[in-house]
Amino acid sequence: MSETGTERRPLSRRLPDPNTASNVIYNPSLEELRELAEPDETTTEYGSPSYVSEYRSRSSERTKNAVDDEFGDEDYELLEDAADLAGEREMVCVDRIMGRHPDATFCCRLFVPTEYARIALAWAKLFEPTDGREPDLHTVQIPDHDETAIRIRPEEGFTAVLGSDYTGEAKKSFLRLLMYRTKQRGGLGLHAGSKRVRVRDADGDMRIVGQVFLGLSATGKSTLTSHGCWLEEPEDAVMLQDDVCALLPDGSVAGSEGQGLYIKTIGLEEDEQPALYDAATDESAVLENVAVDDDGTVHFEEDRYTANSRAVVQREHLASADEEIDLDRVDQVFFITRNPLMPPVTKLDEEEAAVAFMLGESIETSAGDPDRAGESIRVVGTNPFIVGSEGEEGNLFRDLIADLDVDCYVINTGYLGNESKDVGVTESVTILTELARDTVEWTHDDRMDMTIPAEIPGIDVEEFYVPDHVEDYEDAAAELREERREYLESFEALAPEIKDATY
């Protein structure tokens, strides 16, 4: 389905010129943005600002784009209304640069009403300051609009966020279009984190391994991406990106957020996630919907407002974050799942990897649909922000990893069976480290019909053998495979050999 309505006046031309418009505060400093947001602030015990929004997750059911959805006059009127309101109300306009890679860098311009300056403050801390170039992408967010609707014109690079004051809508409005434009250039946008691991292999030689993690919010993506793997010099593991990357045809992975990260804070613990905890408790953080008392005491463990509590944290205060955001080359891709029938890790061939990409098996989180949090779901590419054919994305993913000779895995960060065996952070990080070292021995298990570890240094793999933790395993596995086959058949554009590779 292609865009229509191209005869309409370009939306960006309806926007005010922030350099001259009397109703626009253009590119205020972070200090000025915080001053504008002061009426909504509770100052935490760490000196950071904390805010509470009315909307606390994305309005995914009210989101439409002009590539995949039928756009009528009402949809275009919503877009035009947003652009016109930007010229009528007192607005804050902030420009930021998303990405650094020469093939995946965009200037982003965000308009929000001045009374919602807290959104601009949090968003501005994610990306790097503008270098003065003209914007490639525009978003207008009008939180108090009388209708809740997110409307996107991908080809024009314009998004209207109406009736929601959730910061995540502003953030994803630009990241969604980065992924779309990457695909137009022969690459593939990924809802993924990236890290670079430098370790000694079994022979004592140093290896540098690029790892990428695909996973929905709250499945452990940030935890695994930011974890230092308990390595000591000269070994190390550093995070490059936390949320959205662009896999390019040359095997490099372009980052997007150069300044900060938008992390989940519910249950954040210093012992389990020291790097994230330290960054979230720094004065530079911006907390959103976190339980904060009037005296500033912070309770990360409490879901007072939502289980989707968030913080924008600065990379410079995250010990595991590297100065670079681009990965020179990807060597290993991990699909994070919490499917209880999956082992702690399984190795995939090219078609199986494309199956894993299409299945996107996980659990619903409070970031997506709070009413369904905890339910088993499937999201292609674990990416709710795909614009265009999902089946074609699966084909493109298969082709890219085949050309680049990338190793792919599914890693389970949840439970085995009926919560009888927990795969903890210690096990997951050990798996990542030993895979980087190339010390894991593999075997094909006939009962599971999967390639699983025969040996992982530091882990007793027999304790994590899934059939031992699932009653009537064969029946459960057969039912799961049939569900997967039926699901894959729903994608007409998906290559038949991928559909036949269901594991």
Side-chain angles (χ1 to χ4, degrees), residues 41-246:
E41 176 181 328
T42 298
T43 306
T44 72
E45 59 189 295
Y46 312 112
S48 58
S50 176
Y51 307 103
V52 177
S53 62
E54 179 181 358
Y55 279 68
R56 293 159 191 171
S57 62
R58 298 185 308 274
S59 298
S60 55
E61 296 301 317
R62 302 191 181 190
T63 300
K64 294 172 64 177
N65 73 73
V67 172
D68 299 307
D69 303 298
E70 292 288 350
F71 257 44
D73 288 340
E74 292 182 0
D75 298 300
Y76 286 105
E77 287 169 4
L78 287 170
L79 287 160
E80 292 165 358
D81 192 26
D84 292 342
L85 286 170
E88 299 169 5
R89 297 183 56 171
E90 294 297 319
M91 305 292 287
V92 170
C93 175
V94 180
D95 288 355
R96 285 293 184 267
I97 298 297
M98 177 172 59
R100 298 178 189 168
H101 194 285
D103 295 330
T105 298
F106 303 90
C107 182
C108 306
R109 176 167 289 174
L110 173 69
F111 285 90
V112 297
T114 54
E115 58 265 42
Y116 294 95
R118 59 178 171 79
I119 297 173
L121 171 64
W123 178 82
K125 279 177 165 274
L126 292 170
F127 303 100
E128 295 175 295
T130 180
D131 55 6
R133 72 182 74 180
E134 288 299 304
D136 303 292
L137 309 172
H138 297 82
T139 293
V140 178
Q141 186 162 0
I142 309 292
D144 53 2
H145 196 274
D146 57 9
E147 181 174 352
T148 300
I150 292 83
R151 296 292 182 268
I152 308 120
R153 287 206 68 185
E155 295 296 344
E156 190 175 343
F158 189 98
T159 302
V161 178
L162 302 174
S164 172
D165 62 343
Y166 181 53
T167 300
E169 295 285 13
K171 167 187 159 79
K172 279 300 192 291
S173 70
F174 295 106
L175 294 174
R176 176 190 290 114
L177 294 180
L178 176 147
M179 291 189 281
Y180 177 67
R181 296 203 171 183
T182 296
K183 184 165 55 174
Q184 291 179 313
R185 299 173 182 178
L188 188 63
L190 301 174
H191 181 222
S194 62
K195 72 191 300 180
R196 185 179 63 245
V197 184
R198 182 169 53 193
V199 291
R200 294 190 187 279
D201 63 17
D203 297 324
D205 298 325
M206 294 300 297
R207 290 165 48 92
I208 296 178
V209 179
Q211 296 181 334
V212 168
F213 302 87
L214 286 78
L216 290 174
S217 298
T219 56
K221 177 161 60 70
S222 294
T223 298
L224 297 183
T225 305
S226 65
H227 204 289
C229 298
W230 301 297
L231 297 172
E232 297 181 1
E233 293 185 353
E235 295 185 316
D236 65 1
V238 292
M239 183 207 72
L240 303 180
Q241 278 295 280
D242 171 64
D243 194 27
V244 167
C245 305

Side-chain angles (χ1 to χ4, degrees), residues 213-321:
F213 302 87
L214 286 78
L216 290 174
S217 298
T219 56
K221 177 161 60 70
S222 294
T223 298
L224 297 183
T225 305
S226 65
H227 204 289
C229 298
W230 301 297
L231 297 172
E232 297 181 1
E233 293 185 353
E235 295 185 316
D236 65 1
V238 292
M239 183 207 72
L240 303 180
Q241 278 295 280
D242 171 64
D243 194 27
V244 167
C245 305
L247 175 59
L248 303 180
D250 65 358
S252 63
V253 181
S256 56
E257 295 166 292
Q259 198 81 20
L261 294 78
Y262 190 53
I263 67 169
K264 283 197 65 141
T265 60
I266 193 70
L268 188 62
E269 296 181 5
E270 186 173 10
D271 292 341
E272 286 289 324
Q273 300 157 293
L276 293 176
Y277 184 89
D278 288 347
T281 54
D282 190 87
E283 184 179 5
S284 62
V286 177
L287 306 191
E288 182 181 53
N289 301 321
V290 176
V292 179
D293 297 338
D294 291 340
D295 66 0
T297 303
V298 177
H299 304 278
F300 288 129
E301 77 285 356
E302 183 182 329
D303 59 351
R304 184 180 304 175
Y305 304 109
T306 175
N308 190 36
S309 53
R310 294 276 180 168
V312 174
V313 302
Q314 298 300 278
R315 291 177 61 91
E316 63 180 332
H317 296 295
L318 186 63
S320 60

